[in-house]
Amino acid sequence: MTEKIRNALDGKEMYAFSAATALLLFLAAFLLASPDELLRGMVTIVLTRDALVTDYFELAGFGAAFFNAGLVMSMAILLIRLQKIPFTGLTMAVLFINAGFALFGKNPINVLPMLLGTWLYAKFHRSGMNRYIYTALFGSCLAPMVTELVYLLPFSFAANLGIAIAVGIFSGFVLPPLSVHTASMHMGYNLFNMGFAGGLFAFVMMCVLQSFSLESSSVFIWSYGRPLWLLIGLYLYFAAALLFGLFLNKNCLRSLLKLMRHPGRAVADFVLMDGVPATLVNMGIIGLLCTTYILLIGGDLSGPVVGAVLTAFGFAAFGVHARNYLPVLAGVLLSTFVTHMQPTTPGIQMGAVSAVGLAPVAGQFGIRAGIIAGMLHAAVTVCSSSLYGGLNLYNNGFSTGLVAIVLVPALESFIKGYQTKKEQKRKR
């Protein structure tokens, strides 16, 4: 029986897992809220400002937040299937970052202009959308900008809406070439490349708005506490991912050890390099690790934190594993002992989990470099969102990009200098 299931899933494991996750989100939504409550919650989510940090758990309730996440994730799955793209590690990363951020900032309406803009970019360059689908889905990090402009501009509602949609389309058109250039700046050491590109675009937009005496301000809506049912649900879900990987191949632990030897520098697609079973086990481990960290520090299972955990879970298929993540996580935690920040500060909770974006630094340069990267990330991430008024949802991606651009050249220079001196001593 089990062999028949494995044969039926052969080549479709990640698609089946993703589809099951979307269904699970819908199931949780209907268990937590009535259809009327879900409808009212979705209306609230769509019509409310979405700048960082807008926690949909607190804003519209757990049921509506999970329903919104299910819709956004299902939309992403559908687009990838329509483009006939195989479900690889990069697919897992883009699906779960969308599901995670649909708990605080994304909804099926405000992501559409960016998707349309990237589609127009593909048409303009006479290329297939399958080449840019990942860019389009990652690029929805600027979704709050669309909603923000509707409320910020001083014209009629119809005019504001039209301008907001046009700006969203323009951002989707600009992000593909911009993201190529930003990737070359950090040389693959920031896994959240689109967060860095989106942050640059949002900063320029913020400056343009301020030149017209219009200013977007960050939002802070946050749900405190750790509901026991949510904590148990997360543990069961991540454990299920791990067990699913073992079910597909009981002997995948050897592949898992090989996976953990990769530095994680982009592009590191674990599905293609080490197989689906080992990747799922790794995803489960990272999900359990992040959830346990939040539990141990007494943090909150808010929408943004759960969203960050789901993002880390997805990127565990694309560059992140315990060996290269733990040093960066330790750096974020250590920073709280020497600064005024606390581990439970909302921005630091999100920053600690989202430090997975700098995992390749530890993977490439070692534990000490990873700790330094984590400490720098903690300092940068708490103040970077003010640069663009919370219009870029991937604030941690912008922070990890800045840290990588500053830190990596210094590390490379130090290492090369050390190696040169070592060679000179040998020659003597």
Side-chain angles (χ1 to χ4, degrees):
M1 181 66 178
T2 56
E3 194 62 34
K4 287 183 178 179
I5 296 174
R6 291 193 189 99
N7 291 334
L9 290 172
D10 188 34
K12 304 173 184 175
E13 299 93 342
M14 286 306 195
Y15 167 64
F17 183 79
S18 302
T21 300
L23 290 174
L24 184 62
L25 288 169
F26 286 126
L27 177 62
F30 282 102
L31 288 175
L32 293 167
S34 67
D36 287 343
E37 291 172 328
L38 293 179
L39 180 60
R40 287 195 298 270
M42 284 302 302
V43 171
T44 301
I45 286 173
V46 170
L47 296 181
T48 303
R49 291 180 60 207
D50 299 301
L52 280 177
V53 177
T54 305
D55 186 342
Y56 290 165
F57 285 173
E58 183 71 16
L59 178 71
F62 289 102
F66 285 128
F67 189 78
N68 183 63
L71 286 176
V72 172
M73 187 175 189
S74 298
M75 181 188 298
I77 292 172
L78 178 61
L79 289 173
I80 291 171
R81 289 286 288 178
L82 288 174
Q83 297 302 320
K84 300 179 180 178
I85 296 173
F87 278 61
T88 65
L90 182 57
T91 312
M92 294 295 101
V94 79
L95 289 179
F96 282 94
I97 198 172
N98 273 280
F101 279 82
L103 297 177
F104 67 112
K106 293 185 181 182
N107 63 65
I109 303 301
N110 64 9
V111 302
L112 291 178
M114 277 68 65
L115 297 177
L116 178 56
T118 306
W119 178 79
L120 290 173
Y121 179 85
K123 289 296 181 182
F124 181 78
H125 288 274
R126 298 180 180 179
S127 180
M129 187 60 180
N130 58 346
R131 183 177 176 182
Y132 298 104
I133 187 64
Y134 290 121
T135 303
L137 291 171
F138 278 124
S140 57
C141 60
L142 294 174
M145 186 171 59
V146 177
T147 312
E148 187 72 9
L149 289 176
V150 173
Y151 293 100
L152 189 63
L153 296 175
F155 311 112
S156 66
F157 176 79
N160 288 359
L161 181 60
I163 294 172
I165 293 172
V167 172
I169 291 172
F170 177 70
S171 68
F173 194 90
V174 169
L175 282 177
L178 179 58
S179 62
V180 173
H181 286 284
T182 53
S184 65
M185 293 172 69
H186 55 72
M187 299 176 289
Y189 287 101
N190 171 28
L191 293 177
F192 302 149
N193 178 54
M194 190 57 73
F196 185 53
L200 291 176
F201 184 91
F203 173 69
V204 172
M205 272 299 304
M206 187 71 173
C207 293
V208 171
L209 290 172
Q210 287 183 349
S211 70
F212 289 97
S213 299
L214 299 171
E215 186 171 352
S216 172
S217 57
S218 298
V219 179
F220 187 74
I221 300 175
W222 185 273
S223 59
Y224 293 92
R226 297 176 303 281
L228 182 60
W229 63 267
L230 181 55
L231 180 65
I232 293 173
L234 288 172
Y235 272 118
L236 289 176
Y237 174 73
F238 296 136
L242 190 154
L243 293 174
F244 184 42
L246 291 175
F247 168 78
L248 293 173
N249 185 354
K250 293 181 180 179
N251 300 316
C252 68
L253 295 181
R254 182 178 297 177
S255 297
L256 179 65
L257 294 175
K258 179 186 172 186
L259 181 153
M260 289 188 176
R261 289 196 290 268
H262 296 305
R265 184 180 176 186
V267 175
D269 194 313
F270 293 154
V271 171
L272 298 179
M273 294 190 297
D274 301 292
V276 170
T279 302
L280 282 167
V281 172
N282 185 59
M283 291 171 69
I285 291 172
I286 293 298
L288 292 169
L289 174 62
C290 292
T291 306
T292 301
Y293 172 80
I294 295 298
L295 178 64
L296 291 177
I297 65 168
D300 307 303
L301 289 180
S302 62
V305 170
V306 174
V309 171
L310 288 176
T311 298
F313 176 73
F315 273 86
F318 193 73
V320 179
H321 49 73
R323 189 180 176 191
N324 64 6
Y325 171 46
L326 282 173
V328 190
L329 177 62
V332 175
L333 181 61
L334 286 173
S335 72
T336 63
F337 293 100
V338 295
T339 66
H340 69 279
M341 297 177 291
Q342 300 295 321
T344 54
T345 301
I348 295 299
Q349 291 184 55
M350 294 174 63
V353 176
S354 299
V356 293
L358 286 169
V361 175
Q364 184 70 37
F365 299 106
I367 294 174
R368 284 175 291 186
I371 292 174
I372 294 171
M375 296 183 76
L376 288 175
H377 173 61
V380 174
T381 193
V382 294
C383 62
S384 55
S385 65
S386 62
L387 295 174
Y388 37 75
L391 296 183
N392 172 32
L393 283 175
Y394 302 166
N395 178 55
N396 281 279
F398 184 71
S399 169
T400 52
L402 289 176
V403 171
I405 288 172
V406 172
L407 184 61
V408 170
L411 290 171
E412 289 183 338
S413 177
F414 176 81
I415 291 171
K416 286 179 181 177
Y418 176 78
Q419 290 174 342
T420 301
K421 289 180 180 179
K422 200 172 182 180
E423 289 176 2
Q424 289 174 348
K425 286 182 179 180
R426 286 178 180 175
K427 289 179 181 179
R428 292 175 185 172

